[in-house]
Amino acid sequence: MRLARRNCVAVPRLILIEGMIGSGKTTTAGHLADWLARRGEHVRAFGEGAADHPIRTRRVDELLAAPAPGDPGVYSAGQWRQLAERCLRDEQTIICESVFLQNSVMPAFIDGAPVATVAEICAEIQRQAAPAEPFLVYLRPADIAAAIARVHQARGEPWSSRNLAFVQDSPWARRRGLRGRDAVVGLYQAWEPVAAGLFDRYPFGKLMVPDPQHDWPSALRAVRAAVRP
């Protein structure tokens, strides 16, 4: 585990659960929300497709086939400032899975943006969310191909076909002539060092959990200890 502690010991008001598909984000977010609630914290967890999610992204709207917004500004990084202020105003801990790196930053990489541009998108979100000093939990499988195989087997159809189609039709995969499972594995193998670099430069509290599926009890204990020392 790689942990960077906060200066204060209070539970963070904003917790971001990140990692590639199938890394265990939903399991981690749900467990953490339940655990904090049992300890008297005012907490709310938002799944990736929650209708009332405080952060709206193009990627999730595409996944849900949501109508295009009349105002493209709804996707702006300013949402993160509003979320941070909400957390502090309401004295509430909000847990969000997938919305930061996976659905707000990685899409630019998939669309072919250079790493410098991807890093700037990440940095702008961090600037906007800074009032809440969001704590980042990053779940990192060591064997990406095995993780992809697991999640496709577990989720089955129609999710599997939609995921393959989305990735192989992306600018990143088309430029490399990759299709099917090779495209998905190749994408995440290319993304992983970028994400790891963004994690290393992340300015607030953070925890990296390698291969949580190998020992879920230990992984979840580490997350609990990190957010509530």
Side-chain angles (χ1 to χ4, degrees):
M1 312 289 177
R2 294 168 59 189
L3 171 64
R5 290 194 176 276
R6 304 175 306 280
N7 292 328
C8 64
V9 296
V11 173
R13 290 305 180 191
L14 181 55
I15 301 172
L16 307 175
I17 311 294
E18 292 293 328
M20 62 174 283
I21 56 172
S23 59
K25 298 184 295 294
T26 300
T27 297
T28 302
H31 172 87
L32 186 57
D34 290 344
W35 184 78
L36 288 173
R38 290 196 301 270
R39 280 149 183 78
E41 298 290 342
H42 181 31
V43 60
R44 170 75 190 277
F46 287 94
E48 186 174 27
D52 59 343
H53 203 296
I55 303 295
R56 185 170 179 180
T57 68
R58 288 187 177 87
R59 173 63 181 134
V60 171
D61 278 357
E62 291 168 357
L63 287 171
L64 300 178
D71 176 13
V74 300
Y75 298 128
S76 74
Q79 297 177 95
W80 291 90
R81 175 73 59 166
Q82 295 171 9
L83 175 57
E85 292 170 351
R86 169 183 168 178
C87 293
L88 299 176
R89 181 184 65 247
D90 298 344
E91 297 185 348
Q92 179 183 37
T93 292
I94 289 181
I95 302 171
C96 294
E97 59 162 294
S98 303
V99 75
F100 172 41
L101 295 178
Q102 184 77 6
N103 288 324
S104 292
V105 179
M106 187 180 180
F109 181 81
I110 295 173
D111 288 343
V115 172
T117 299
V118 172
E120 180 51 38
I121 292 170
C122 185
E124 178 59 22
I125 291 172
Q126 291 167 182
R127 283 192 288 270
Q128 294 290 337
E133 297 186 3
F135 192 91
L136 174 61
V137 177
Y138 187 65
L139 310 176
R140 186 180 190 185
D143 189 334
I144 290 174
I148 296 295
R150 270 197 315 272
V151 70
H152 276 262
Q153 181 177 20
R155 297 186 183 180
E157 297 295 346
W159 183 91
S160 181
S161 292
R162 288 202 301 262
N163 179 249
L164 295 178
F166 169 77
V167 175
Q168 71 185 18
D169 291 341
S170 70
W172 187 92
R174 290 202 309 269
R175 186 176 298 118
R176 292 159 177 81
L178 295 173
R179 299 187 61 79
R181 188 75 60 85
D182 289 343
V184 180
V185 173
L187 172 64
Y188 278 99
Q189 287 175 338
W191 168 248
E192 180 54 38
V194 177
L198 296 175
F199 177 89
D200 286 342
R201 295 190 295 275
Y202 188 74
F204 309 117
K206 56 191 175 183
L207 172 70
M208 180 177 286
V209 183
D211 289 318
Q213 77 283 352
H214 288 176
D215 187 349
W216 272 113
S218 294
L220 294 173
R221 281 196 299 271
V223 174
R224 294 195 302 264
V227 302
R228 198 178 191 211

